[in-house]
């Protein structure tokens, strides 16, 4: 596609032209397939549909359509971010529900494409070196289901202590990611 043809197609797709939307979906189909294949959060076809919807949402959210390269980069980043979101959701819902609190960090899947999910052996060793109370605190923090005050109430600890453990973990986490 030439620069002007892609931009024209993108503008038509943004205005609701379904044939233009289909052309753009076909252009980004290899990327959608790639992320759908790597997404273990759901079935392949479901992941393709989710990523296609993310593509259409990205098209609608583009504010300035002037440069083909910038638009393509925006759409690619939107697809990649939605893929990461699907993986985070998978980890939160399925992995945390299926494992006990102490096994959480040993059974997480490893995705080599992005570092924020990748929990390597160093992090597992770090978790094993902590007391059981600190392990419980970090499990609650990482599950993102509870606020700091809720964690403090559940474990009968002070909010300050929970925040201190959280701060220590965040400074240590930079070494692992």
């Amino acid at each position: 596609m030439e620069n002007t043809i892609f931009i024209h197609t993108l503008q038509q797709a943004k205005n609701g032209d379904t044939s233009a939307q289909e052309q753009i979906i076909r252009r980004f189909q290899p990327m959608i397939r790639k992320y759908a294949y790597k997404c273990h959060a759901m079935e392949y076809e479901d992941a393709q549909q989710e990523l296609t919807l993310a593509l259409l949402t990205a098209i609608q959210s583009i504010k300035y359509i002037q440069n083909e390269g910038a638009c393509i980069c925006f759409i690619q980043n939107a697809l990649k971010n939605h893929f990461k979101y699907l993986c985070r959701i998978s980890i939160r819902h399925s992995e945390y529900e299926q494992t006990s609190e102490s096994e959480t960090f040993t059974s997480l899947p490893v995705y080599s494409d992005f570092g924020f999910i990748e929990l390597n052996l160093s992090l597992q060793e770090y978790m094993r070196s902590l007391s059981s109370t600190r392990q419980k605190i970090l499990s609650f923090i990482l599950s993102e289901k509870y606020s700091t005050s809720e964690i403090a109430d559940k474990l009968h600890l002070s909010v300050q202590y929970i925040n201190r453990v959280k701060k220590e973990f965040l400074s240590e986490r930079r070494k692992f990611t």
Side-chain angles (χ1 to χ4, degrees), residues 54-65:
L55 171 67
L56 294 173
T57 304
I59 290 170
Q60 294 302 320
S61 64
I62 293 177
K63 293 184 179 162
Y64 303 106
I65 302 175

Side-chain angles (χ1 to χ4, degrees), residues 95-109:
E95 297 296 325
Y96 284 117
E97 290 174 1
Q98 294 174 2
T99 60
S100 68
E101 290 177 5
S102 63
E103 297 172 349
T104 300
F105 297 100
T106 59
S107 63
L108 287 176

Side-chain angles (χ1 to χ4, degrees), residues 69-85:
C71 292
I72 289 172
C73 186
F74 181 84
I75 292 170
Q76 288 174 336
N77 286 335
L79 288 173
K80 184 177 181 182
N81 289 336
H82 196 70
F83 166 69
K84 290 178 182 180
Y85 168 77

